[in-house]
Amino acid sequence: MLLPSDLQVDATRLQCEIDELATCSSTPGPGVTRILFTPTDLAGRAYVKGLMTDAGLSIHEDPAGNIVGRWNGSLGERERVGTGSHCDAIPHAGRYDGTVGVLGGIAAVRALRAVGFEPKRSIDIIMFTSEEPTRFGIGCSGSRLLSGTMTPQQVARLVDEQGISFDQARQSAGYAGCLEDVPLSPGEYSHFVELHVEQGPVLERDAVQIGVVTAIAAPASFLVTFKGKGGHAGTVLMPDRQDALIPAAELICHAEMLARSSGSDDTVATVGKMEVHPGAINSIPRNVTISFDVRDTNRAIRDRIVSELKVTASALAEERGLELHIEEINADPPEAAQSEVITIIEAVCESQGLTHQRMVSRAYHDALFMARIAPMGMIFVPSRGGISHRPDEFTSSQEMANGVRVLAEVLAKLSSS
């Protein structure tokens, strides 16, 4: 019988592996830049596969670049439990986002092997392709494809800023084969549990060691373009202007107001990109495109805000005689963690003497899409200062080890049933 006291995680080794993976970066440290299917991404993939092999895992790679390290159980490959995360990183990011879930999953296997545990269900450690939207404009392309959330044709047609398609990029990186072979069937995984850094301030602020995720918020993302007439900044008088930037600015402020007054603590609205044409200090903006990312764990609230923003955009364009174009990017539904998985994670925390609390994930993760095909859960460990997607992102080795010990025992329980 597996006892919590038996499980030992080498926190120093895990930290060294996190640090070594961080050297696979196209920009100097301490930040990490690891963009999908670039040489540094391929170097990171090779390093992770080496760790999987050292842990006694068999490696499976699909045509989309998802990497699976499998610990075969006595029931065979058809009965599986999944865990994992991603290792790609946005420009000048930190070294813990995603990687803790992949390298931590491998460390969990090492800890279980060390105490002689033998799974009935096979245990898969998955390194998902492109959780970050950096290269192709949409996140979680690997788990979207695995779960059937996007079709192979939709994924293949994604194009980066250089005009290179996902299909071209993955084949150039050595991932051949048909994307039609990637999607999984419901039931292939009995459960999926993802370990991740919180990326927020709650656990550190409340001095809690483990976060037990109850739901994952999901974004509705879209682009709004106002088209005016522009002109010389000095010669076109104010009553005659069709400035495309003014309504864009008003819409941004309106988004903040809607998010603040939604009635939900989980509502957030962000404009992260703005393109102003022609972009000269002495020229009236002719065309302006702004991006919107609206999230909540409550889909009705999120969708109401999106609808109100589109209605307001239309009114602002009409008021100033501008053309309006709205381009949808995605509108994924939020997902709830399965109650059974939540209960198991909490019981494991109790058995290991770790403080814990329930919380929502306001960032989305691959678990959001894996929930479409398997009961899902997530384990959070603290992030210092709530900082993420920055070079100073930090989670201590002991905090990571706590999460790995919880993950290891949860995987043991799920793979034994």
Side-chain angles (χ1 to χ4, degrees):
M1 179 179 176
L2 180 68
L3 297 175
S5 57
D6 295 333
L7 284 171
Q8 301 297 322
V9 175
D10 189 338
T12 300
R13 177 177 179 176
L14 178 57
Q15 183 66 64
C16 288
E17 291 169 349
I18 292 282
D19 294 342
E20 181 64 25
L21 181 57
T23 65
C24 300
S25 173
S26 59
T27 54
V32 178
T33 302
R34 199 160 44 240
I35 310 301
L36 179 67
F37 296 145
T38 61
T40 48
D41 179 53
L42 297 181
R45 288 166 175 267
Y47 179 69
V48 170
K49 287 188 286 186
L51 294 179
M52 288 178 170
T53 300
D54 290 344
L57 303 176
S58 60
I59 295 175
H60 307 259
E61 297 181 78
D62 68 25
N66 294 304
I67 300 172
V68 176
R70 180 167 298 159
W71 184 4
N72 288 315
S74 60
L75 296 178
E77 294 187 357
R78 292 184 179 275
E79 297 282 344
R80 308 200 302 277
V81 174
T83 187
S85 194
H86 66 99
C87 286
D88 61 319
I90 68 169
H92 309 288
R95 62 187 59 190
Y96 299 93
D97 173 18
T99 59
V100 171
V102 178
L103 303 192
I106 298 170
V109 168
R110 290 198 298 255
L112 290 171
R113 284 191 182 278
V115 296
F117 176 76
E118 293 291 341
K120 292 181 180 179
R121 297 180 186 273
S122 296
I123 297 175
D124 282 0
I125 315 298
I126 309 172
M127 188 181 115
F128 293 99
T129 284
S130 189
E131 193 266 359
E132 303 291 2
T134 309
R135 182 166 186 181
F136 291 102
I138 188 165
C140 298
S141 57
S143 54
R144 286 179 190 271
L145 186 53
L146 281 169
S147 63
T149 307
M150 288 184 72
T151 67
Q153 294 75 25
Q154 288 172 320
V155 173
R157 290 195 296 266
L158 295 173
V159 177
D160 68 12
E161 292 182 351
Q162 283 69 49
I164 299 171
S165 72
F166 183 97
D167 214 32
Q168 292 171 320
R170 59 112 182 174
Q171 293 190 46
S172 294
Y175 291 99
C178 297
L179 291 179
E180 286 76 7
D181 296 333
V182 176
L184 300 170
S185 301
E188 288 199 42
Y189 285 107
S190 66
H191 298 86
F192 180 83
V193 182
E194 182 170 358
L195 171 65
H196 209 281
V197 293
E198 181 195 348
Q199 299 181 279
V202 175
L203 293 176
E204 183 186 54
R205 183 194 65 204
D206 296 347
V208 174
Q209 293 167 303
I210 298 292
V212 183
V213 175
T214 58
I216 305 174
S221 305
F222 57 99
L223 302 176
V224 174
T225 299
F226 292 101
K227 293 190 174 184
K229 290 186 176 178
H232 194 288
T235 59
V236 181
L237 298 180
M238 300 306 288
D240 302 323
R241 295 191 176 198
Q242 288 182 295
D243 187 328
L245 183 56
I246 303 301
E250 290 182 290
L251 192 61
I252 292 170
C253 292
H254 190 58
E256 181 186 42
M257 183 277 292
L258 289 174
R260 286 180 176 272
S261 61
S262 74
S264 167
D265 292 337
D266 298 328
T267 308
V268 290
T270 304
V271 174
K273 292 179 67 176
M274 175 183 288
E275 297 176 3
V276 180
H277 180 79
I281 194 171
N282 62 343
S283 182
I284 300 165
R286 183 180 308 130
N287 299 330
V288 175
T289 298
I290 49 179
S291 66
F292 284 93
D293 181 309
V294 183
R295 306 186 188 205
D296 201 296
T297 54
N298 185 313
R299 184 176 184 175
I301 292 176
R302 183 201 70 183
D303 291 351
R304 172 175 55 79
I305 289 175
V306 169
S307 178
E308 290 186 27
L309 284 171
K310 291 177 180 178
V311 169
T312 301
S314 179
L316 289 169
E318 183 176 356
E319 177 185 336
R320 294 176 178 272
L322 308 178
E323 290 184 37
L324 174 69
H325 297 276
I326 297 177
E327 178 185 346
E328 306 289 344
I329 298 176
N330 62 283
D332 301 303
E335 292 287 351
Q338 191 204 38
S339 59
E340 176 198 2
V341 179
I342 292 172
T343 299
I344 291 173
I345 295 171
E346 290 178 325
V348 168
C349 289
E350 291 290 336
S351 71
Q352 295 187 10
L354 296 170
T355 57
H356 57 92
Q357 71 179 41
R358 295 187 179 192
M359 61 193 305
V360 301
S361 173
R362 294 180 175 88
Y364 71 75
H365 304 281
D366 291 299
L368 177 73
F369 301 99
M370 293 301 286
R372 311 283 179 88
I373 56 172
M376 173 273 293
M378 287 197 74
I379 300 163
F380 275 175
V381 290
S383 296
R384 185 175 65 186
I387 292 168
S388 187
H389 282 194
R390 284 176 19 187
D392 51 342
E393 175 183 84
F394 180 77
T395 296
S396 73
S397 58
Q398 186 55 57
E399 289 168 331
M400 288 190 290
N402 288 341
V404 172
R405 286 181 62 225
V406 172
L407 176 65
E409 191 175 349
V410 169
L411 291 176
K413 289 180 180 296
L414 294 175
S415 64
S416 296
S417 59

